[in-house]
Amino acid sequence: MPDRRYIKKIKGQEKYPHKQFSFGDMLLSSCGCFLVIVLISALDRISHQFFIDQPLFVAPVGASAVMIFGLPDSDYAQPRNVVGGHFFSALCGVSAGYFFPDNVILASALAVALAMAAMYATGTIHPPGGATALLAVIGDQTITSLGYSYAFIPCLSNALILVFCGIVINNFSARRSYPKFW
């Protein structure tokens, strides 16, 4: 039977910190997400038609866009965290896939665990990085066949585009200043 202190922790210690957002913030955040996803999607499509048959767009970008435009003051949305979080997590995910090539369960678990450790060690915690690591293991053949290049294209390139767009779009608002730190 768990003791009372443990049960008390599970109940939560505080009330929900309901934060009011202005319509302008909502509009800027939504437009920022829309524009960055359109940009990365268009670059992906153009690259397939004219240059390389390698994906330039991965799903964790959506979560990063929500953080950069919806929570631009969050430590986890800052450029260092976005770029490092995706890059190091991608390396960890690919490595985990090599360690356990025939066991998706262990490779997936190791990918996310290694990514968490790497983000802690480098001071680049970015929650969508966990999805980046996992995708390296459970993604389709197009993703898993990339090997370590997955860390550079699409992950690093996506992160750099996200940060650039975050800087340009977030600073249109007089109430926002992005980034807080590098």
Side-chain angles (χ1 to χ4, degrees):
M1 181 91 183
D3 74 9
R4 289 179 183 266
R5 290 175 295 188
Y6 186 77
I7 300 296
K8 187 176 179 182
K9 284 191 219 180
I10 293 171
K11 289 182 178 179
Q13 314 306 296
E14 302 172 17
K15 288 188 173 197
Y16 176 71
H18 184 52
K19 183 176 177 183
Q20 293 291 331
F21 294 98
S22 71
F23 179 76
D25 284 337
M26 183 210 55
L27 190 61
L28 182 66
S29 297
S30 298
C31 288
C33 285
F34 178 84
L35 292 172
V36 77
I37 298 300
V38 165
L39 175 62
I40 294 173
S41 297
L43 291 173
D44 182 61
R45 173 142 317 170
I46 291 167
S47 74
H48 291 312
Q49 290 176 347
F50 298 108
F51 302 109
I52 58 174
D53 192 27
Q54 179 174 340
L56 295 179
F57 186 37
V58 289
V61 166
S64 294
V66 168
M67 292 190 76
I68 290 170
F69 296 106
L71 302 166
D73 291 333
S74 167
D75 289 350
Y76 306 124
Q78 300 310 304
R80 167 190 180 89
N81 297 68
V82 174
V83 173
H86 281 297
F87 181 71
F88 295 126
S89 294
L91 293 174
C92 291
V94 172
S95 297
Y98 287 139
F99 286 132
F100 295 107
D102 299 323
N103 191 325
V104 175
I105 294 170
L106 288 178
S108 297
L110 183 61
V112 178
L114 285 176
M116 187 74 258
M119 288 187 285
Y120 262 115
T122 58
T124 59
I125 295 175
H126 183 61
T132 297
L134 187 59
L135 187 61
V137 174
I138 66 166
D140 66 14
Q141 177 66 27
T142 310
I143 296 291
T144 59
S145 67
L146 294 175
Y148 286 105
S149 69
Y150 169 72
F152 296 93
I153 297 173
C155 295
L156 182 60
S157 63
N158 282 190
L160 292 171
I161 292 168
L162 281 165
V163 167
F164 174 76
C165 291
I167 291 168
V168 171
I169 295 168
N170 277 319
N171 288 307
F172 279 132
S173 170
R175 292 188 306 270
R176 292 186 183 194
S177 178
Y178 182 84
K180 283 186 355 183
F181 59 84
W182 290 90

